[in-house]
Structures are given as C-alpha cells and as structure tokens.
Amino acid sequence: MAAGRWPVLMPLVLLVWIVCCNWAQAASPYGANMTDLMHHVKFFDENKDGIITITESIKAFIAIGCDPAFAVTAATSTHAAFGPLTTPPGKIPTTNIHVSHIHGAVHPSDTGAYDKRGNFVPKKFEKIFEKFARSEEDALSWLEVETMLVANRDLLKPLSWPAAETEWQLIHFLGKDRHGYLHKDTVRGIYDGTVFPKLRDHKIDPHHSDA
C-alpha cells in the first residue's frame, strides 16, 4: 500500500524540498554561493546579518590580537574606504560593509589572488611565493612583502597603493612567526577566513611558531 502511494507523493515531496532550499537561500544574507572573499570578511560580521559595522570590525580586530587603539584606526579606515564601494545598488552609501557586495572592494595594485568577483585564483596565489619568497621556502619576510607590493603597483592608479600596503601590513602582523616570516598556509587561511577563528580561539599563535 505504501509503495503504491510513493509515485503519487514523490512530486509533492520534491516540491516541498525545492521550496525549503529556496527559503534557506533567501534567508541567508550571504546567498548560496559564497566566494572566498566573502568567507574572508564573514568573520567580522558578528551577528551574521550580512552587514559589517565599524563596531563589529573593531571587536573582531581586538579578538584576533590587535590592540584597541590599532583596532579603532584599522576599522575606521577600512570602512571609510570600502563601505561605499560595497553598498548595494539603489542604497545610500555608508561606512557599513555589505558582505554580499564585498567584490566591490577588490582593487588594483594587489596580488590578483582574488578575481573581480572575489573568487580565489590558485595560480596567482602560488606566484606570490614563487616570485617573492627568497630567504625561506614558502614564507615571506616583511622586506619580501614590500618588494611584492612595489612590483604589483598599478602606476596609473596610485590611489590604490595605500589599500594594498595597509592590508599586507595587517596580514604580516597577524600571521608572522617569531622569526618574522609569513608562511604560505597562514596566508591561504587569511584569504579564505579560516585563520581568524583560530586566532580568536588561540588555537594557533603564529608569533610563537617554531617554523
């Protein structure tokens, strides 16, 4: 009897499943297909509503190891620069950063490890270390980071230089080991955001690494 009913009930079950999937996608402020860049910034969205405020960024910076004064400066400058660029079409630009439109913050003079949509580009990431890691394998000193930043500068867009410089200063500060080297696996974790919860929860401490 039950087997005979299944062909009749199957379309209804399928319809319910489709509706539930669409509801879940609509309910998520990030959508169904998150890019690596969205994963990178999601950590800073404390209440997971898809909008990162300056206050949320300050708290997140402190949580991953920045002192409060630096956290305020970093959050304020980041939001001033990227908030308007990530504002969805039709909305008044603010300093809030919208995770769904974070690709608007992709800028020239960077490594190209994110494409224009915020997707991770493995070949570009590998080239960072192939071209600039000289003193240690798969690791960058600050001098090597600076060499990379200069090499990547778009000479026609000098206003993009400070953004790249500031981002990599923070990446190096957070991720360097006790010898001052920024390792490849740490940088990859920063690109996809997986390092931030580990820093917050003290599961890793690059500053005291023996690497």
Side-chain angles (χ1 to χ4, degrees):
M1 187 71 172
R5 291 178 181 175
W6 178 243
V8 178
L9 293 174
M10 188 166 66
L12 179 60
V13 172
L14 182 61
L15 177 62
V16 171
W17 180 77
I18 292 172
V19 169
C20 288
C21 288
N22 287 338
W23 176 84
Q25 178 175 344
S28 170
Y30 308 123
N33 300 309
M34 290 184 65
T35 64
D36 276 79
L37 184 54
M38 292 171 71
H39 281 289
H40 169 76
V41 300
K42 187 179 74 169
F43 172 80
F44 295 82
D45 183 15
E46 183 181 27
N47 61 5
K48 306 306 179 196
D49 65 350
I51 300 173
I52 305 171
T53 65
I54 292 180
T55 300
E56 285 178 314
S57 285
I58 292 171
K59 292 170 69 176
F61 278 129
I62 293 173
I64 60 179
C66 300
D67 67 72
F70 178 85
V72 170
T73 301
T76 302
S77 59
T78 299
H79 280 258
F82 296 143
L85 297 178
T86 66
T87 301
K91 292 191 175 183
I92 298 174
T94 68
T95 57
N96 290 335
I97 292 174
H98 291 75
V99 178
S100 61
H101 287 69
I102 191 60
H103 58 275
V106 175
H107 55 78
S109 301
D110 209 342
T111 62
Y114 291 128
D115 66 15
K116 292 182 179 180
R117 298 302 301 173
N119 298 302
F120 183 70
V121 184
K123 287 185 178 179
K124 294 285 188 178
F125 177 76
E126 293 295 333
K127 282 189 175 181
I128 295 173
F129 295 89
E130 289 173 5
K131 292 177 66 176
F132 302 105
R134 292 290 178 261
S135 51
E136 292 286 337
E137 184 179 1
D138 290 339
L140 299 169
S141 67
W142 176 245
L143 180 59
E144 290 164 345
V145 171
E146 282 285 2
T147 301
M148 176 190 71
L149 290 170
V150 172
N152 288 337
R153 284 177 179 171
D154 186 334
L155 298 180
L156 299 179
K157 298 179 179 178
L159 293 180
S160 66
W161 301 356
E165 184 84 20
T166 301
E167 288 165 359
W168 278 92
Q169 282 179 351
L170 182 58
I171 289 171
H172 189 265
F173 169 76
L174 291 172
K176 67 183 179 182
D177 66 18
R178 65 189 181 94
H179 302 296
Y181 286 99
L182 182 62
H183 290 264
K184 186 177 183 179
D185 57 345
T186 302
V187 180
R188 182 65 182 94
I190 289 174
Y191 269 101
D192 63 19
T194 56
V195 159
F196 299 137
K198 294 176 183 178
L199 288 171
R200 177 198 61 202
D201 299 336
H202 305 291
K203 292 183 178 178
I204 60 170
D205 189 355
H207 297 269
H208 293 85
S209 170
D210 291 327

